[in-house]
Amino acid sequence: MNKKIIGIVAVVLVAGALILKGNSFGKTPVKVEPVAIGRLADSSLYAGTVIPGEIVPVYIEAPTVIERVLVKEGEEVSKGTELMSFSTKSLLENEKALKMNELDIKNVKLQIEDLESGTLKLELDRRELEMKSLEEKINADARRLPTVEREAKVFADLLKKDGVSSIEAQKKQLAYEDLKVELGLNREKYNLMVVGYESLKRELNIEESKLRSQLEKLSLNEETLKKRDTQLRETLKAPANGVVVKLDVTEGAMTEAGQRLLAIATEGESRINVEVPLYQANTIEKGQEAKVISRELNQNKEYIGKVERISSAARDIRGGKDKVVDVEISINGENDLKPGFITDVEIAGKVKSDVPVVNSFSVIESDGNYYVYVVEKGVARKQEIKVGARTVSSYEVLDLPVGTDVVVNPFKIRNGEKVKVVK
């Protein structure tokens, strides 16, 4: 009696074990799908981060002390929103500098006027008159010289014929020689006067150029000081609608002239940065349409955009375990997206028709290689394959014949294990 009971229990235990394994004949049940001709055109949904488009920096013209900061990073502002105010002491110092600059401008203008009608200008005019007088005398003497020369020759000939006395002939000759010498000296004197005149004129021009250059610098400085005066008298206001993406100063900080105070990302210029897995990057092309979904408390907002840029290189994430490609999406038209917010981005991959495909759950990826299990005479065989385009649900198979049965979800079987195909 006991032996019969023991036998029955043993049979029950063996049957239970076989049932737990999935069948009563020692074969693992598996589902298979054949490699079939299909198309790859699944839309993929990614998480994207809103990045600012146009950044408007706001600068301070004057060195000053920040009295109050009225906004925070991430705060939405409208054009004209008060951003920060400045110390009154800075305004008083700027007013003093402005008055000093005005006095310097008046002084330089007086010096320029003095050059135009002062001592140097009078001396220049006097020398010019002397040059003109001497030039006229030289010209007159040059015209007289041939006549005097002829008279001297005539008297010399008459002297030979005893027509005149030697004294008269000698006077004519001396008159000619004196005129000739005087003419030469006057020409040399004129040349020296020209050199002196040009030197004085150049000195005058150089001095005037220096003064006018100084005046221009003072005028530019006056313009800067007036801009500073205007800016320091009023509370700094936002130049455009947008979001404060960066605050560069704090209350009580001392700034330098030309320092950036903050930056505003303008509205309607936002872009979305998406990290696309490397295996899906080849399904995306520049110019493709993308749908950006902003999920808010009351309702979801959708914007139509397009793929603006695809990085040419992949980068590692999660300590190098995965690779992604950065894809940038631009939005067509205005939007309410805020920099730093997370959105969903739906991108339709490139359509590939009439290609051999297999279910993505059938593919095992290991060390950059891809494997499937095919069923041959009731045995599961692990086989390496080459894949092309991929989506979340399908892989393009490049080296398996159409119709090859591939195990779906093969993670519970081993290479060489006996299997039973079930529906």
Side-chain angles (χ1 to χ4, degrees):
M1 193 72 178
N2 291 335
K3 290 183 179 179
K4 289 183 180 180
I5 293 173
I6 292 172
I8 292 170
V9 171
V11 170
V12 170
L13 290 174
V14 171
L18 291 174
I19 291 171
L20 288 174
K21 187 166 182 175
N23 61 74
S24 58
F25 301 103
K27 295 182 179 181
T28 302
V30 296
K31 291 184 178 181
V32 298
E33 286 186 2
V35 177
I37 296 297
R39 63 197 297 269
L40 294 172
D42 288 350
S43 294
S44 298
L45 192 66
Y46 308 95
T49 304
V50 181
I51 57 176
E54 182 185 0
I55 299 293
V56 178
V58 181
Y59 297 93
I60 181 71
E61 292 287 344
T64 185
V65 175
I66 304 299
E67 190 76 26
R68 292 183 61 199
V69 177
L70 306 173
V71 292
K72 299 178 181 179
E73 285 189 9
E75 184 175 338
E76 187 175 357
V77 296
S78 301
K79 185 176 181 180
T81 299
E82 294 186 344
L83 303 174
M84 58 184 67
S85 59
F86 310 111
S87 168
T88 307
K89 181 181 177 182
S90 305
L91 176 61
L92 296 175
E93 291 177 350
N94 189 74
E95 287 179 343
K96 181 180 178 181
L98 185 58
K99 290 179 180 178
M100 293 293 293
N101 193 80
E102 289 174 352
L103 292 174
D104 289 338
I105 289 176
K106 289 180 180 178
N107 181 46
V108 172
K109 286 182 176 179
L110 288 173
Q111 292 182 58
I112 292 174
E113 290 177 4
D114 184 61
L115 282 179
E116 293 175 347
S117 59
T119 306
L120 282 176
K121 184 63 168 61
L122 291 173
E123 176 64 18
L124 194 67
D125 293 342
R126 185 187 66 79
R127 292 191 182 188
E128 187 175 4
L129 288 173
E130 288 182 352
M131 288 170 55
K132 288 182 178 179
S133 177
L134 184 58
E135 184 179 15
E136 290 178 1
K137 181 172 176 46
I138 289 171
N139 292 333
D141 289 344
R143 289 193 297 268
R144 285 178 54 227
L145 185 62
T147 303
V148 174
E149 183 182 12
R150 285 194 299 270
E151 287 179 353
K153 287 182 179 180
V154 169
F155 271 68
D157 292 339
L158 290 173
L159 180 62
K160 291 177 183 180
K161 298 177 182 180
D162 295 328
V164 293
S165 66
S166 61
I167 294 175
E168 290 176 323
Q170 188 177 8
K171 283 183 179 180
K172 292 294 183 181
Q173 183 64 33
L174 288 173
Y176 166 69
E177 290 178 357
D178 289 344
L179 183 60
K180 184 177 179 182
V181 171
E182 185 180 4
L183 182 60
L185 291 173
N186 283 339
R187 282 174 172 166
E188 290 181 6
K189 184 179 179 181
Y190 178 81
N191 290 335
L192 290 173
M193 289 179 69
V194 169
V195 172
Y197 174 82
E198 293 296 334
S199 177
L200 182 61
K201 185 178 180 181
R202 184 165 55 252
E203 181 183 345
L204 190 67
N205 289 337
I206 290 172
E207 187 64 24
E208 184 178 2
S209 296
K210 288 180 179 179
L211 290 172
R212 292 197 179 278
S213 176
Q214 187 177 350
L215 179 62
E216 186 175 355
K217 290 178 182 178
L218 290 170
S219 298
L220 290 173
N221 191 47
E222 181 183 36
E223 185 179 343
T224 300
L225 290 171
K226 286 182 177 180
K227 285 182 179 179
R228 291 178 179 179
D229 183 77
T230 302
Q231 193 173 40
L232 291 172
R233 285 182 184 278
E234 300 177 357
T235 304
L236 184 67
K237 296 178 181 178
N241 298 337
V243 175
V244 178
V245 292
K246 181 64 177 177
L247 268 175
D248 299 306
V249 294
T250 57
E251 289 185 358
M254 180 70 186
T255 67
E256 297 178 358
Q259 180 177 337
R260 194 180 84 163
L261 302 178
L262 52 83
I264 297 174
T266 58
E267 290 183 351
E269 297 291 338
S270 299
R271 298 194 174 199
I272 317 298
N273 187 64
V274 179
E275 295 179 346
V276 176
L278 180 60
Y279 70 86
Q280 288 182 282
N282 61 354
T283 66
I284 298 175
E285 289 182 336
K286 184 176 179 180
Q288 275 183 270
E289 185 177 288
K291 183 189 294 183
V292 178
I293 306 166
S294 175
R295 305 195 184 279
E296 302 181 3
L297 293 177
N298 298 329
Q299 61 177 351
N300 294 339
K301 292 185 178 181
E302 296 185 358
Y303 305 97
I304 300 301
K306 66 177 180 178
V307 177
E308 191 70 31
R309 183 182 63 84
I310 303 173
S311 176
S312 58
R315 59 183 178 86
D316 295 330
I317 60 171
R318 300 186 187 90
K321 294 181 180 180
D322 295 307
K323 289 182 178 292
V324 295
V325 173
D326 289 314
V327 176
E328 189 175 286
I329 309 298
S330 63
I331 306 297
N332 299 330
E334 295 184 358
N335 62 81
D336 297 329
L337 299 174
K338 306 296 187 297
F341 281 35
I342 304 299
T343 65
D344 289 334
V345 179
E346 184 178 310
I347 305 176
K350 293 182 294 186
V351 176
K352 296 187 73 173
S353 301
D354 300 327
V355 292
V357 296
V358 66
N359 193 304
S360 61
F361 289 105
S362 300
V363 181
I364 299 173
E365 183 177 354
S366 177
D367 297 328
N369 298 319
Y370 302 91
Y371 302 90
V372 295
Y373 280 88
V374 297
V375 178
E376 297 178 351
K377 297 181 180 179
V379 176
R381 300 291 183 190
K382 187 176 182 181
Q383 182 171 334
E384 183 178 354
I385 60 171
K386 293 181 180 179
V387 301
R390 291 178 288 175
T391 66
V392 174
S393 60
S394 302
Y395 281 48
E396 178 186 5
V397 184
L398 302 178
D399 55 357
L400 280 182
V402 175
T404 302
D405 286 331
V406 176
V407 176
V408 178
N409 199 9
F411 299 96
K412 295 181 180 181
I413 60 175
R414 298 184 302 275
N415 187 32
E417 186 175 348
K418 291 183 179 180
V419 295
K420 180 181 179 181
V421 177
V422 296
K423 295 183 178 179

